[in-house]
Amino acid sequence: MNSKNKTLRIAIQKSGRLSEQTLELLQSIGLKFNGYKNRLMVQARNFDVELLLIRDDDIPEYVQDGVCELGFVGANVTLERKADVKVLRNLDYGICRLSLAVPKDSGITKAEDLSGKRIATSYPNLTKQYFEEKGLSVDTVYINGAVEVTPTLGVADVISDLVSTGGTLKANGLEELVSILHSECQLIQTNRSVSPEKQELIDKFLTRMEGSQQADRSRYIMMNAPTQAVDKICEIIPSLNSPTVLPLADDNMVAIHSVIPIEEFWEVMEQLKEAGATGIVILPIENMIV
Ligand code: PRT
Ligand code: ZN
């Protein structure tokens, strides 16, 4: 267990695909660190948080065992390790899928065709589980890295590996057969008990994260509109609160400001133009406390 009573300990990947975005996320919620490069542990300057920088494979266990209260790691790793942890947030980066891939022109068209085949993978548990659920028996060959070359080397017939763009499969003469797991980076929490002080820090941390995530999903919108179109425009804007309407030098016009969800941006924009809005400006939002 993490013996330091007050400091919240968070495990993140030291160096890899998740490191940069995780650090950016921590910085976006106001945490400041001095020189985290080449260090295993680093204390935040302005929050009672200590980062543990380790290999992603070790993160689920460290969190499970309570060495760290929180961790940022791909769902693929947590599920493969069968770690006993709570998933607090899906973070929408590090997105990939665990897929079965077969040599091009192999004639294999479905997972059922793989019965009795040798499958090279760094994810034997998730792969076996997939086939067990289908009532099929396969042989898994554990390979740590460069799984894509194993069919060419004759080490395996097919592979089960992470895919994001699909470029690596293609470059190795393989094609994706079926995706068996969607994965993204997640914030996980230990199921071990945490002190009230630490729970308070976790709650504070989550509130900040919520604000940052909500800001990422929202845009600040400003426009001018004829005064008589205000009611119609307020109906169109899917805002959290009622929009702000400000008078302009021209009595027949007003400025309208609001916050809208990013996914409704284009639809809303077209409707606003139809309703008479002009000079529509959209701005990113740094943070939001709702
Ligand atoms: O040193 P450490 O153990 O910490 O890092 P690592 O080398 O084990 O992991 P790393 O940094 O490569 O990946 C960390 C996490 O990023 C993974 O556990 C996933 O959650 C996530 N992620 C997202 C990916 C990918 N996308 C990804 N494309 N992890 C690996 N890949 C590899 C994949 O294994 C394959 O070799 O990229 C290749 C395929 O990419 P495409 O774009 O060609 O399809
Ligand atoms: Zn790893």
Side-chain angles (χ1 to χ4, degrees):
M1 283 284 272
N2 179 0
S3 54
K4 278 179 108 178
N5 246 341
K6 271 186 63 219
T7 306
L8 192 63
R9 200 177 277 163
I10 304 177
I12 73 166
Q13 190 186 23
K14 182 170 173 54
S15 155
R17 288 169 194 264
L18 305 180
S19 309
E20 197 179 315
Q21 274 169 290
T22 303
L23 277 164
E24 271 172 15
L25 195 156
L26 293 172
Q27 282 159 351
S28 79
I29 61 169
L31 271 61
K32 296 192 170 124
F33 304 97
N34 280 339
Y36 40 79
K37 298 230 161 79
N38 306 320
R39 290 176 59 190
L40 188 61
M41 276 172 111
V42 54
Q43 179 84 40
R45 278 194 268 133
N46 57 344
F47 202 93
D48 221 346
V49 158
E50 189 170 54
L51 293 185
L52 188 64
L53 296 119
I54 51 180
R55 290 198 58 189
D56 67 343
D57 314 68
D58 297 331
I59 295 174
E61 278 92 342
Y62 271 67
V63 174
Q64 171 182 279
D65 298 346
V67 177
C68 297
E69 287 78 24
L70 300 178
F72 288 83
V73 65
N76 51 308
V77 181
T78 306
L79 291 169
E80 175 64 23
R81 305 256 154 182
K82 301 185 178 173
D84 175 20
V85 296
K86 255 195 297 281
V87 175
L88 295 180
R89 295 278 188 282
N90 284 315
L91 298 171
D92 210 24
Y93 64 90
I95 292 174
C96 57
R97 53 198 186 274
L98 181 65
S99 288
L100 298 172
V102 299
K104 233 169 150 242
D105 309 321
S106 65
I108 296 169
T109 57
K110 52 189 187 310
E112 284 69 15
D113 297 342
L114 298 178
S115 188
K117 301 270 189 215
R118 286 168 309 157
I119 306 184
T121 185
S122 309
Y123 296 88
N125 289 329
L126 288 169
T127 304
K128 276 186 215 146
Q129 191 184 325
Y130 173 79
F131 283 101
E132 268 164 29
E133 280 165 14
K134 288 191 155 296
L136 299 170
S137 156
V138 293
D139 280 339
T140 55
V141 184
Y142 178 77
I143 303 283
N144 187 8
V147 175
E148 295 91 349
V149 297
T150 55
T152 311
L153 298 175
V155 175
D157 304 306
V158 299
I159 67 164
S160 166
D161 197 17
L162 299 179
V163 180
S164 49
T165 62
T168 309
L169 291 184
K170 213 170 161 196
N172 286 283
L174 299 168
E175 55 192 13
E176 202 170 345
L177 185 66
V178 61
S179 163
I180 66 181
L181 177 84
H182 162 88
S183 180
E184 64 194 281
C185 187
Q186 298 179 318
L187 174 62
I188 56 171
Q189 181 181 345
T190 188
N191 278 327
R192 298 284 181 98
S193 67
V194 291
S195 66
E197 290 94 336
K198 280 191 186 178
Q199 191 54 53
E200 211 174 292
L201 279 174
I202 292 174
D203 294 344
K204 208 164 141 186
F205 188 85
L206 291 178
T207 305
R208 288 194 185 193
M209 273 197 48
E210 195 55 50
S212 164
Q213 286 190 296
Q214 179 122 21
D216 281 349
R217 294 192 296 262
S218 307
R219 290 293 177 272
Y220 194 81
I221 184 167
M222 303 190 284
M223 74 208 82
N224 291 344
T227 314
Q228 84 265 15
V230 169
D231 288 349
K232 172 87 184 137
I233 286 179
C234 289
E235 262 174 45
I236 295 169
I237 296 176
S239 85
L240 288 171
N241 301 305
S242 129
T244 307
V245 180
L246 304 161
L248 290 175
D250 176 348
D251 279 349
N252 297 317
M253 296 291 285
V254 288
I256 302 176
H257 292 196
S258 191
V259 171
I260 60 166
I262 193 166
E263 69 270 16
E264 302 194 35
F265 165 68
W266 287 110
E267 207 176 317
V268 165
M269 173 112 131
E270 282 156 12
Q271 291 176 20
L272 290 173
K273 277 183 84 177
E274 266 171 43
T278 51
I280 303 171
V281 174
I282 304 282
L283 298 171
I285 300 172
E286 189 87 359
N287 221 314
M288 256 171 88
I289 308 300
V290 187

